Amino acid sequence: MSAWAAQLRRRSAADRFDLYTRVSLYVLSAGEVVVAVAIATGPPRIEPVWGATFIALAVLHAASGVALLHRGINWFLGHGSWPRQVMVLHIVLGGCGVLSALLAFPHVDGGDPEGYGSAAFGVLMFIIYVIVALTPRLTMLRLASTAVSSAVLAGLAMLAFGWSFRPAMAGAVSCLIGMVAGGSTYRISVWMLGAVWETERSRETESRLAVAEERLRIARDLHDVLGRNLSVIALKSELAAQLSRRGRDEAPAEMMEVHEIAHDSLREVREVVRGYRHADLAAELAGARSVLRSAGVDSRIIGDGTQLPWQAQDALAWVVREGTTNVLRHSDATECVITVEKAPSGTTEVQWASVTMENNRAREEQPAERGGNGLAGLGERLEGLGGTLRAESLQGGRFRLTAIVPVRPAPDDERTPRAESPTLKETP
């Protein structure tokens, strides 16, 4: 018993709710046998053959009902197909049970009044348990229509077997009330079971998406961190090698910079994994100028963006870093212009800040055309902030990367509505 309880505790909440719901519904369905025995053994007394037949049909009907309910719930939850053969067997057994109830008990006019009640309970029992076993298949509208039609058929059957109108009407109304009450209870239970599993699936999907998003974040940030730094390390190592061959004294200094960049890369990778790293726009602009000049690229920086809030600086700093990497890896540039702009202040509306990087001598195979991971990651990062990213190949072999992000005058005020992003002009 303790082992079973421990195993039950290890189940998820949805598993436990599923187990409790199924066991409750199955026990209530198996209760048909108890009701049949009470009807057959109570007053009025009936012949043993009829009583045994009535109880045997109830046992078979209860067994088929539990099987139909079990497989029907699985079908409702999306596991397996609807058990048509079991459904037909259950309905046929229910019809035989109704017939046995009408034949087993005295019910002629002037007969024992208790006979009417026993026969009505027998008819009611078989019809209700047919309905409740079908509840996974029946919507509430179908349940209501099925209950009404079944009650009408039960009333007509009672009249056909010699009942007067009043007892037949009372039996039909009792059947209707019992079917609606029992069927709706079962239907709501099955619906709740489906809702619980749907919630559980949504929670699992949300967890998987969170894991996937974290993996994408780490992959994107690692690309952003290592992409430029490895490009710089390769560039400076090559420069140091050339200086060393020429016997220049600058070679050790260049290698020390490679050493520092490698250490910085290691630190940044650790911070990426921890998820606490924020890029600094001013530092990235200074780093871009230094790296580009080391590569022989004449660089100009217009604006600094030091007055921007940290969210905007962080996003635009990544643009500068990725743009610098693209200039080094995907062009033979001799000049690069980096422009940092901000919308005029003085209003309470959301402002916009932008970074534009434009270089010459772009190669034919641009990262934007190849669907590079770096620009794709930048686009995802900016979209999350409500910004935009555009990479354009211009005439004369030039390439332009433009990023725009929203800037709120009061960074802590999250109630400010998001403004429409300004449209980037198409390059003629």
Side-chain angles (χ1 to χ4, degrees):
M1 186 66 179
S2 59
W4 182 84
Q7 185 179 5
L8 182 62
R9 283 194 298 269
R10 285 194 295 268
R11 288 173 174 257
S12 65
D15 279 328
R16 292 197 295 270
F17 184 83
D18 184 290
L19 179 63
Y20 297 154
T21 302
R22 287 176 183 265
V23 170
S24 300
L25 296 183
Y26 298 160
V27 169
L28 289 175
S29 297
E32 178 180 4
V33 178
V34 178
V35 176
V37 171
I39 293 175
T41 57
R45 294 293 179 180
I46 59 175
E47 296 181 5
V49 175
W50 281 111
T53 302
F54 183 78
I55 294 175
L57 286 172
V59 171
L60 294 175
H61 194 246
S64 64
V66 171
L68 177 58
L69 190 61
H70 172 73
R71 296 180 61 181
I73 291 175
N74 291 339
W75 169 83
F76 183 83
L77 297 177
H79 310 302
S81 59
W82 177 255
R84 298 183 182 276
Q85 295 179 347
V86 180
M87 178 185 68
V88 172
L89 175 63
H90 187 65
I91 294 176
V92 170
L93 289 174
C96 293
V98 170
L99 184 61
S100 69
L102 293 173
L103 292 174
F105 299 95
H107 47 263
V108 296
D109 288 339
D112 188 352
E114 293 181 350
Y116 287 108
S118 298
F121 275 117
V123 172
L124 175 67
M125 178 191 71
F126 280 103
I127 295 180
I128 286 179
Y129 280 105
V130 167
I131 296 298
V132 297
L134 292 172
T135 47
R137 183 91 179 189
L138 299 177
T139 62
M140 296 301 286
L141 181 60
R142 290 179 180 177
L143 175 63
S145 60
T146 302
V148 171
S149 58
S150 299
V152 171
L153 291 176
L156 293 176
M158 293 174 187
L159 291 174
F161 276 82
W163 291 41
S164 60
F165 178 78
R166 194 168 184 177
M169 179 61 68
V173 172
S174 299
C175 285
L176 178 61
I177 295 174
M179 284 185 290
V180 171
S184 60
T185 300
Y186 272 62
R187 175 63 190 181
I188 292 173
S189 298
V190 173
W191 176 83
M192 289 179 61
L193 182 59
V196 168
W197 277 117
E198 185 65 28
T199 303
E200 183 70 11
R201 284 192 294 269
S202 299
R203 188 175 301 164
E204 292 177 356
T205 301
E206 183 179 358
S207 300
R208 288 195 296 269
L209 288 175
V211 172
E213 178 65 23
E214 182 64 12
R215 288 175 178 172
L216 287 174
R217 182 194 70 80
I218 293 175
R220 181 183 63 204
D221 288 354
L222 285 176
H223 176 276
D224 293 344
V225 167
L226 296 180
R228 191 203 68 164
N229 288 358
L230 291 177
S231 298
V232 174
I233 289 173
L235 179 65
K236 287 188 172 292
S237 299
E238 183 181 358
L239 178 60
Q242 294 178 359
L243 292 174
S244 179
R245 292 191 192 100
R246 298 173 186 175
R248 300 283 296 273
D249 296 335
E250 295 90 340
E254 293 292 336
M255 289 308 300
M256 287 304 300
E257 289 190 23
V258 170
H259 178 268
E260 292 176 0
I261 294 173
H263 272 282
D264 290 341
S265 299
L266 180 60
R267 175 183 55 80
E268 290 179 341
V269 167
R270 290 171 177 169
E271 291 176 350
V272 165
V273 174
R274 291 202 282 282
Y276 294 127
R277 184 176 50 82
H278 297 291
D280 180 78
L281 180 56
E284 291 300 328
L285 290 172
R289 178 189 288 112
S290 175
V291 169
L292 291 174
R293 288 182 178 175
S294 297
V297 180
D298 183 16
S299 60
R300 287 192 301 129
I301 298 178
I302 303 173
D304 55 11
T306 55
Q307 302 302 318
L308 297 175
W310 71 265
Q311 296 94 333
Q313 288 202 42
D314 182 70
L316 296 180
W318 284 112
V319 175
V320 173
R321 172 171 289 197
E322 179 62 26
T324 304
T325 302
N326 287 336
V327 171
L328 296 174
R329 296 178 58 188
H330 304 295
S331 76
D332 301 313
T334 59
E335 63 178 45
C336 179
V337 179
I338 305 175
T339 305
V340 182
E341 295 180 317
K342 180 183 177 183
S345 59
T347 65
T348 58
E349 298 296 328
V350 174
Q351 309 297 305
W352 290 90
S354 67
V355 162
T356 302
M357 297 186 65
E358 184 173 334
N359 62 277
N360 64 343
R361 301 177 66 177
R363 296 171 188 166
E364 293 183 0
E365 187 182 14
Q366 294 298 321
E369 298 167 357
R370 297 182 297 106
N373 293 326
L375 295 183
L378 279 179
E380 294 172 2
R381 186 189 297 273
L382 296 183
E383 286 177 7
L385 298 174
T388 58
L389 179 73
R390 173 169 295 183
E392 303 170 289
S393 295
L394 309 178
Q395 295 180 354
R398 302 186 69 84
F399 185 80
R400 179 189 296 160
L401 181 67
T402 306
I404 301 177
V405 295
V407 178
R408 292 182 173 89
D412 295 332
D413 186 4
E414 296 298 332
R415 296 170 297 176
T416 306
R418 177 177 291 181
E420 294 296 328
S421 175
T423 304
L424 293 170
K425 296 181 179 179
E426 296 291 339
T427 301

